[in-house]
Amino acid sequence: MAGDRTVAIGGLGAIGAHLARVLDAGVEGLRLVAVSARDQEKARRSLVGFRAPPRLVALPELAEAAEIVVEAAPAAVFEQIAEPAIARGRIFVPSSVGALLPRMHLVARARETGARIIVPTGALLGLDAVRAAAEGTVASVTIETRKPPRGLEGAPYLVERGVDLGGIAAPTVVFRGNAFDAARGFPANVNVAAALALAGIGPERTMVEIWADPTVTRNTHTIRVEAEAARLTMTIENVPSEENPRTGKITPLSILACLRGLTSTLKVGS
Ligand SMILES: NC(=O)C1=CN([C@@H]2O[C@H](COP(=O)(O)OP(=O)(O)OC[C@H]3O[C@@H](n4cnc5c(N)ncnc54)[C@H](O)[C@@H]3O)[C@@H](O)[C@H]2O)C=CC1
Ligand SMILES: O=C([O-])CC(=O)C(=O)O
């Protein structure tokens, strides 16, 4: 409809394809106009049956096509989506939040261009309470992530150390450190830790523990915050998506909720 805010999505995988389908089915105030994918043939198949098929464009062109640019691609191509979107003053919604941590200059650039960077809660929970707590004094923020070992396979931190998760029979800690190093070592796994760090006390002070845990079937994140105003302990157990076991099914739903919040008259949560 006239007056709708236009949306473009970079990446048509577990997050992007789901989001594209829901937007095409109709979400008040939002209209999907462009998508980008690596495999054009597969993308055309994903778009079969769409009421209003979006244009298939290259990553840097997403920013020309729409007011809201959602990044839902591997961290390796983050800049190709983020930089043009921010340069054009768009609303940029990243999924690969870990890729934002070493690129905080993009926030400074957004200040100059009038762009906004809106980080969705994604596969995590409770960022409203963490943000509220961080308006006061926070002593510590930690996140413990447990995933079935196959969900961690291929992480650069493990590959560099020759760690093979194949034979793991009991829950095993594979990483302890801050959110900055976690995002570098596990770019496809700890976007949640990056979002938590940005909501709270920053990537250097946010502490992360990652477990390869053969006893869990869900990607499980527990955050603990010790603040002057409150103590928070919260756990989310995410059902892995069929397309990509690293990605919880709740992630595209969270991004959709975030997009609705950009246009809705009634908005709940800070
Ligand atoms: N913020 C959060 O809470 C979460 C973030 N993520 C992150 O979101 C991102 C996307 O996740 P998924 O959808 O599960 O990944 P996915 O691997 O299922 O899909 C990524 C898509 O990007 C496309 N792509 C790759 N290179 C491209 C290129 N050069 N041009 C256009 N398209 C390209 C691929 O074809 C694929 O369809 C990942 O970085 C992932 O780590 C995942 C889960 C939770
Ligand atoms: O739990 C999930 O769905 C994904 C995850 O850990 C992340 O990307 O940070």
Side-chain angles (χ1 to χ4, degrees), residues 7 56 76 131 146 152 162 175 189 210-211 213:
V7 181
L56 256 175
R131 280 174 48 212
R146 286 175 185 267
L152 294 167
F175 176 87
N189 281 289
I210 302 174
W211 291 71
D213 188 341

Side-chain angles (χ1 to χ4, degrees), residues 10-17 36-40 42 57-59 71-75 77 80 94-97 120-124 187-192 195 241 243-244 246-248 251 255:
L12 275 185
I15 296 174
S36 192
R38 185 173 38 198
D39 181 339
Q40 305 294 297
K42 190 168 162 227
V57 302
L59 292 176
E71 177 275 327
V77 298
Q80 292 182 51
S95 299
S96 308
V97 190
T121 305
L124 199 57
N189 281 289
V190 290
N191 298 292
V192 287
S241 56
E243 300 91 329
N244 181 355
R246 294 175 180 84
T247 293
T251 316
I255 295 174

Side-chain angles (χ1 to χ4, degrees), residues 20-191:
R21 274 195 303 275
V22 179
L23 289 173
D24 182 70
V27 174
E28 196 181 343
L30 297 169
R31 186 159 50 90
L32 179 67
V33 293
V35 295
S36 192
R38 185 173 38 198
D39 181 339
Q40 305 294 297
E41 246 340 284
K42 190 168 162 227
R44 278 191 198 94
R45 285 198 301 276
S46 302
L47 299 175
V48 167
F50 271 48
R51 296 191 316 180
R55 283 196 297 132
L56 256 175
V57 302
L59 292 176
E61 291 163 18
L62 293 165
E64 289 161 35
E67 298 161 80
I68 302 169
V69 177
V70 179
E71 177 275 327
V77 298
F78 180 84
E79 275 178 9
Q80 292 182 51
I81 306 173
E83 280 187 350
I86 289 164
R88 278 190 81 109
R90 300 307 199 187
I91 294 176
F92 175 60
V93 180
S95 299
S96 308
V97 190
L100 184 59
L101 293 190
R103 296 181 176 85
M104 290 308 279
H105 63 274
L106 291 174
V107 181
R109 178 81 182 115
R111 236 171 246 128
E112 291 165 9
T113 64
R116 298 187 70 205
I117 303 172
I118 306 224
V119 175
T121 305
L124 199 57
L125 80 173
L127 296 189
D128 49 354
V130 176
R131 280 174 48 212
E135 292 288 350
T137 306
V138 177
S140 65
V141 177
T142 65
I143 176 165
E144 180 188 300
T145 286
R146 286 175 185 267
K147 290 197 172 183
R150 72 180 184 129
L152 294 167
E153 267 164 17
Y157 183 90
L158 302 177
V159 172
E160 281 160 20
R161 285 162 183 76
V163 178
D164 175 17
L165 299 177
I168 283 190
T172 306
V173 183
V174 294
F175 176 87
R176 268 198 195 104
N178 69 23
F180 198 83
D181 293 336
R184 194 165 36 200
F186 297 81
N189 281 289
V190 290
N191 298 292

Side-chain angles (χ1 to χ4, degrees), residues 160-268:
E160 281 160 20
R161 285 162 183 76
V163 178
D164 175 17
L165 299 177
I168 283 190
T172 306
V173 183
V174 294
F175 176 87
R176 268 198 195 104
N178 69 23
F180 198 83
D181 293 336
R184 194 165 36 200
F186 297 81
N189 281 289
V190 290
N191 298 292
V192 287
L196 177 66
L198 293 171
I201 55 175
E204 269 81 25
R205 287 180 64 208
T206 302
M207 301 314 287
V208 182
E209 213 170 76
I210 302 174
W211 291 71
D213 188 341
T215 69
V216 300
T217 54
R218 297 183 175 206
N219 299 335
T220 304
H221 309 288
T222 300
I223 69 180
R224 298 184 180 87
V225 178
E226 196 59 55
E228 196 188 351
R231 174 178 300 139
L232 321 173
T233 306
M234 293 177 277
T235 298
I236 188 164
E237 298 176 33
N238 292 329
V239 178
S241 56
E242 283 92 28
E243 300 91 329
N244 181 355
R246 294 175 180 84
T247 293
K249 277 188 173 182
I250 200 163
T251 316
L253 305 182
S254 168
I255 295 174
L256 179 62
C258 168
L259 297 183
R260 278 191 204 275
L262 295 174
T263 62
S264 61
T265 306
L266 172 66
K267 184 173 183 295
V268 180

